[in-house]
Amino acid sequence: MIARRSSLLALASVLVAAACGSDPDPAASGGNGGSGGNGGSGGEDPSSGGQGGGTHPRQEPTRFVATGSLTTGRTNHTATLLIDGRVAVIGGEDYDYAPLASIEVFERATGTFTEASALLTPRTNHTATRLPSGLVLVVGGGRTNSIGGPAGEDVLGSVELFDPVAGSVQAAAALVTARSHHTATLLLDGRVLVVGGASDGHVTSPSFGDEVGSAEIYDPADGAWHETAPLAAPRFLHTATILGDGRVLVAGGSNAAEDQIVATEIFDPADETWSPGPPLAEARVFHAAAALPDGGALVVAGKLANIKFLATSERTSPAADTFAASAALPESRTGVGLSVLPSGRLLATAGLHGSTSGFNLLDDAHVFDPAADAWSPIGGLATARVLHTSTALPTGEVLVIGGLGSGAVLDSAEIAVP
């Protein structure tokens, strides 16, 4: 029987002990220092909220307003922007850690969620990527253990295609290697790169699934997967961000041995090879990452594998051979939402703060200006949350859905508006 989440302390333990030890680092503090959302988080790909770039006439968010609620509260789900501007909320897990099969589609005009056909297999900690055809590719997944990492249980190799026009789901070709807590990135040529994650093996630890080093590419043209070059450092709980030149930056993450991984790796789709990227100054898991208008990337917050919660950010550009310290968020946090606005600025939402004085859910939101290298606060959310999704809409607004609240899995949603 899976233990029931019953308090904020239980919520904190989900994130705090993941891929690490059990007590806060005495040096941890909020407010000092310097992007799925796999859900995933992981970094935000073009199918899950868009990329920034250039100026845009739309006004940017300054506050949050409530919108309709999910039929089923969930966390560790995905929220994928569809071609018609709707958002598909897929899978996740409920209050008892049970994977969900349900799909709900959000329509901005009515502010409502409508149930679509369910997945063929319930799943959580999966990825969902919108293909150029408009179909959504739903990949892998597996259970979360009681301390927040990949449990290595019920790990899926199955893949499904959600058709948002018909509201239907069908099976697709399976992965070569089953995995959860991986990343999936839409490449500029329309293929999908799936990287890393955790397997159902327990060679290193009985508590964590073994890390996966392999990478696979899905080609919508023939509906098939093929293995490509593997990572030099297998990992899960990492991010993957597509750079301005089309390459993919994999950053952060950990493994079943709870190693701190500062090494980054860059995948070149042209020849399907990996090369070393600039190392991070700080290893991190449960962080976020997103593309910047200059073609680089920003890596935000998270925590060290020794449980030090981070407020720091680091940024790089395709031409740089280093990560440079960037502006810090006002408080350290994990499980932050990160979305790219039409202007190329980024919106960071909520998360879980931890320090020597304890843990608390956050309801704040901040906009990052790449040109000024600074965060500015906007009006906060009505409900504090962590492990939610944050999806940029074509209107320039940002839709925040579900996640973990104080002693509950949330069914509420809020929209950041001008």
Side-chain angles (χ1 to χ4, degrees):
M1 187 72 175
I2 298 172
R4 186 175 176 84
R5 295 182 175 97
S6 60
S7 66
L8 181 57
L9 180 60
L11 166 64
S13 71
V14 167
L15 286 174
V16 174
C20 4
S22 59
D23 295 313
D25 184 328
S29 63
N32 60 356
S35 129
N38 162 272
S41 273
E44 187 170 300
D45 70 36
S47 69
S48 303
Q51 296 186 69
T55 59
H56 200 284
R58 296 189 185 102
Q59 289 184 301
E60 293 192 339
T62 61
R63 59 193 175 93
F64 282 86
V65 297
T67 189
S69 295
L70 293 161
T71 301
T72 303
R74 63 190 74 209
T75 187
N76 287 324
H77 54 285
T78 55
T80 305
L81 181 68
L82 304 176
I83 285 178
D84 61 9
R86 296 180 299 158
V87 176
V89 181
I90 299 176
E93 60 192 53
D94 64 14
Y95 193 68
D96 293 315
Y97 301 93
L100 298 171
S102 61
I103 299 175
E104 303 187 43
V105 178
F106 177 80
E107 178 136 14
R108 178 64 181 101
T110 60
T112 58
F113 290 89
T114 303
E115 287 195 281
S117 296
L119 293 168
L120 304 175
T121 303
R123 61 186 74 215
T124 182
N125 300 298
H126 55 286
T127 54
T129 307
R130 191 189 79 206
L131 303 175
S133 65
L135 299 178
V136 179
L137 184 73
V138 182
V139 177
R143 286 186 181 267
T144 302
N145 62 24
S146 62
I147 56 175
E153 298 174 3
D154 300 328
V155 177
L156 300 174
S158 62
V159 177
E160 304 181 39
L161 283 168
F162 171 59
D163 183 340
V165 175
S168 61
V169 176
Q170 65 183 55
L175 291 162
V176 177
T177 302
R179 63 189 78 209
S180 70
H181 300 79
H182 54 282
T183 55
T185 307
L186 182 67
L187 303 175
L188 297 185
D189 62 10
R191 298 179 298 162
V192 178
L193 174 69
V194 169
V195 177
S199 74
D200 61 2
H202 292 277
V203 173
T204 303
S205 168
S207 300
F208 297 95
D210 291 330
E211 64 276 7
V212 173
S214 67
E216 307 181 37
I217 292 179
Y218 177 82
D219 191 341
D222 59 11
W225 294 90
H226 75 265
E227 284 193 291
T228 188
L231 291 164
R235 64 188 80 195
F236 48 68
L237 297 176
H238 55 284
T239 54
T241 307
I242 191 161
L243 302 174
D245 59 10
R247 296 180 300 158
V248 179
L249 172 71
V250 170
S254 189
N255 54 34
E258 305 173 34
D259 291 329
Q260 298 183 24
I261 301 176
V262 297
T264 70
E265 303 184 46
I266 297 177
F267 181 79
D268 189 338
D271 57 9
E272 297 191 11
T273 59
W274 293 94
S275 59
L280 294 167
E282 295 178 290
R284 55 187 83 209
V285 293
F286 288 111
H287 57 291
L292 294 175
D294 66 359
L298 184 75
V299 177
V300 180
K303 63 183 180 62
L304 295 173
N306 65 2
I307 318 182
K308 177 183 177 181
F309 280 61
L310 300 173
T312 56
S313 298
E314 305 180 45
R315 64 188 295 175
T316 190
S317 67
D321 59 2
T322 61
F323 268 96
S326 189
L329 285 163
E331 287 191 282
S332 61
R333 68 194 68 206
T334 68
V336 60
L338 189 66
S339 293
V340 183
L341 302 174
S343 64
R345 294 185 176 94
L346 310 180
L347 176 66
T349 55
L352 179 73
H353 168 67
S355 70
T356 52
S357 61
F359 309 98
N360 62 282
L361 287 166
L362 300 173
D363 60 8
D364 60 345
H366 301 266
V367 171
F368 178 76
D369 184 340
D373 193 38
W375 294 95
S376 301
I378 67 168
L381 292 98
T383 302
R385 63 187 76 212
V386 66
L387 296 178
H388 51 287
T389 53
S390 177
T391 307
L393 303 177
T395 58
E397 301 167 322
V398 175
L399 176 66
V400 172
I401 301 172
L404 289 171
S406 182
V409 171
L410 300 173
D411 63 4
S412 63
E414 305 182 43
I415 301 177
V417 299

